Amino acid sequence: MTPVELAPAFFLAVVVILLTCRLVVLVAGRFGQPPVVGEMIAGVLLGPSLFGLFAPGISAEVFPADLKPVLYVAGQIGLVTLMFAAGYEFRAHAGRGLAGTAVAVSSAGVAIPLALGVALTLVAHGHVGIFVDGVSVWVTAAFVGVALAITAFPMLARIITERGLAGSRFGSLALASGATDDAVAWIMLAGVLSAASGEAGPVLTAVGGSLLFVAVLFLLGRRLLAWIVNRPGLGDDTRLLFTVAVLFGAAWFTDIIDLYAVFGAFCVGMAMPRGEASERLVRTTQSVTQVVFVPMFFTYSGLNTRFDVFSDPSVMAFGAAAVVLAVVGKFGGCWAAARLRGEPGPVAVRVGALMNARGLMQLIALNIGLAAGIVSEELFAALVLVALVTTVMTVPVLSWLDRRDARSRAAEEPRQDEGEKAVATWS
């Protein structure tokens, strides 16, 4: 398709995407789910698993193959601004005295799912058709392990903020652990891609480039951002222009070193100075991009998801096993690590519930693996299932924990009152 033909196709697709996402978000909201869950589900519904299955002709007209790269780029704009806000929120709410526990929780949340994912894939080799010809089984196993190790940090930050948990112990601990978890996971993903290419260059570029990027950003970039935010005489439009230029510049650099744009955007958010002017800039970047551009990424992912592959019982069994091991490894591992660090049970179990969600971040990793040619359609669908299940279960689990604790407190209060009365009687 020519650019002239792509433009009207793009506008039609955007209308369908936005209206579908809004409808599904409203329905999901009735079940207590955050908007990101509705957008994930809408993306799958618009793909070949539903829309393409029941109306293939219309689906091909609305989402022609040539439109996919355009949706991908537009979705990246939404992801970059989303991670920019997540980085800003992380710095605002990361409490002191969390470093040791956060490292322990994130280490367990990476190591245990990674090991379980590798083991599952090795067991599946020769029995399940999820492998790509010419790709080493160890590369596939490592990719599955990394995918299970990822945490949906943007969603985690959104849930914590929306539920007013930012100042809580488990909210701050989950933010700190989730950020560390994903930074490690992205570096490991770069290592997997390096191994897939058979060259050491990509991982060396990613590690060396990330160290250079962080050094430049926090030595010079913070001063530049502070100047943009606080410089007298600059209009709001100029401040926004310069901030977006820094943000997209960081996204460009981390993309070309294979650490990916979302990591650079998150770091820029962390480097932003605190204050009302900064909060206004962050809100401005979010106002349109989150409503318009993020749904395009979910739709792009949905167009690559074929749930009809689950008609093969072995693929279905692999997907189900991946879900179970993902929950056991991440939820159980983070809970156990927090308890070993002396955190109370209610704090530890909530940290595990929040860290268990994969959501958006796993979809990003899956699309990277698909583009690199190391992920098959069958494996893509199985891991999308993991992302959906672990993300959908997060809010209901948190709500159930809140209700359980409320019932426990209500049951304890009468006993305390009776104890006080008994003491008064005897005295």
Side-chain angles (χ1 to χ4, degrees):
M1 297 177 71
T2 67
V4 174
E5 294 171 328
L6 272 174
F10 173 75
F11 291 129
L12 174 62
V14 170
V15 170
V16 173
I17 290 168
L18 297 184
L19 293 180
T20 303
C21 283
R22 181 54 54 184
L23 177 62
V24 179
V25 165
L26 290 174
V27 174
R30 292 183 176 275
F31 295 93
Q33 295 291 346
V36 67
V37 171
E39 290 166 351
M40 285 178 64
I41 295 173
V44 172
L45 295 180
L46 288 173
S49 297
L50 185 71
F51 188 29
L53 180 64
F54 292 102
I58 300 175
S59 176
E61 286 292 326
V62 176
F63 301 114
D66 290 345
L67 188 64
K68 278 189 178 183
V70 181
L71 292 177
Y72 176 82
V73 173
Q76 291 298 301
I77 297 173
L79 294 183
V80 164
T81 57
L82 179 65
M83 290 303 292
F84 172 57
Y88 185 78
E89 288 294 329
F90 168 69
R91 188 179 169 202
H93 300 304
R96 297 179 178 179
L98 296 175
T101 303
V103 169
V105 170
S106 62
S107 297
V110 169
I112 299 176
L114 176 67
L116 293 176
V118 169
L120 173 65
T121 310
L122 294 178
V123 170
H125 186 239
H127 304 286
V128 186
I130 58 169
F131 298 89
V132 177
D133 291 338
V135 176
S136 167
V137 62
W138 287 100
V139 169
T140 303
F143 182 87
V144 172
V146 171
L148 298 193
I150 287 174
T151 286
F153 182 77
M155 177 188 165
L156 182 153
R158 182 183 292 187
I159 290 174
I160 288 173
T161 302
E162 288 178 349
R163 294 171 72 97
L165 305 174
S168 66
R169 174 74 180 180
F170 72 85
S172 297
L173 180 56
L175 282 169
S177 302
T180 307
D181 183 307
D182 277 356
V184 172
W186 289 124
I187 294 174
M188 290 195 303
L189 181 60
V192 173
L193 296 175
S194 175
S197 67
E199 300 176 358
V203 70
L204 294 177
T205 300
V207 174
S210 63
L211 293 175
L212 174 64
F213 170 74
V214 171
V216 171
L217 178 63
F218 287 94
L219 290 176
L220 300 177
R222 291 176 65 178
R223 296 182 182 180
L224 176 59
L225 289 168
W227 181 86
I228 293 171
V229 171
N230 300 317
R231 174 73 176 177
L234 287 182
D236 288 345
D237 290 346
T238 305
R239 295 185 202 277
L240 178 62
L241 173 66
F242 287 163
T243 301
V244 171
V246 173
L247 177 61
F248 282 15
W252 163 78
F253 181 77
T254 51
D255 235 346
I256 64 170
I257 65 172
D258 291 333
L259 202 59
Y260 307 106
V262 290
F263 180 78
F266 177 76
C267 290
V268 172
M270 287 184 62
M272 282 289 286
R274 309 302 309 164
E276 183 179 344
S278 293
E279 292 178 6
R280 188 164 58 249
L281 283 170
V282 173
R283 286 196 302 268
T284 302
T285 62
Q286 295 282 289
S287 58
V288 174
T289 56
Q290 296 312 296
V291 174
V292 177
F293 292 105
V294 170
M296 295 185 205
F297 174 78
F298 288 113
T299 301
Y300 176 81
S301 298
L303 292 173
N304 292 317
T305 304
R306 303 188 62 92
F307 280 149
D308 58 343
V309 300
F310 289 132
S311 60
D312 182 343
S314 64
V315 176
M316 185 69 238
F318 179 88
V323 170
V324 173
L325 293 182
V327 174
V328 171
K330 180 73 79 170
F331 197 141
C334 292
W335 168 82
R339 291 293 286 153
L340 289 173
R341 289 287 302 181
E343 296 295 334
V347 170
V349 72
R350 284 172 171 80
V351 169
L354 286 166
M355 292 286 288
N356 184 53
R358 271 71 172 186
L360 182 65
M361 302 306 287
Q362 187 174 24
L363 291 183
I364 296 172
L366 293 180
N367 281 285
I368 291 169
L370 192 68
I374 63 175
V375 174
S376 65
E377 286 188 350
E378 291 79 7
L379 181 57
F380 189 92
L383 295 179
V384 167
L385 181 65
V386 173
L388 283 170
V389 173
T390 59
T391 304
V392 167
M393 67 184 287
T394 301
V395 170
V397 169
L398 289 174
S399 298
W400 177 80
L401 290 170
D402 289 342
R403 291 193 300 270
R404 185 196 66 175
D405 290 351
R407 287 195 299 268
S408 297
R409 287 193 297 269
E412 289 175 0
E413 287 175 1
R415 288 198 295 268
Q416 291 174 352
D417 292 340
E418 290 173 4
E420 292 173 358
K421 292 177 180 177
V423 171
T425 301
W426 283 102
S427 60

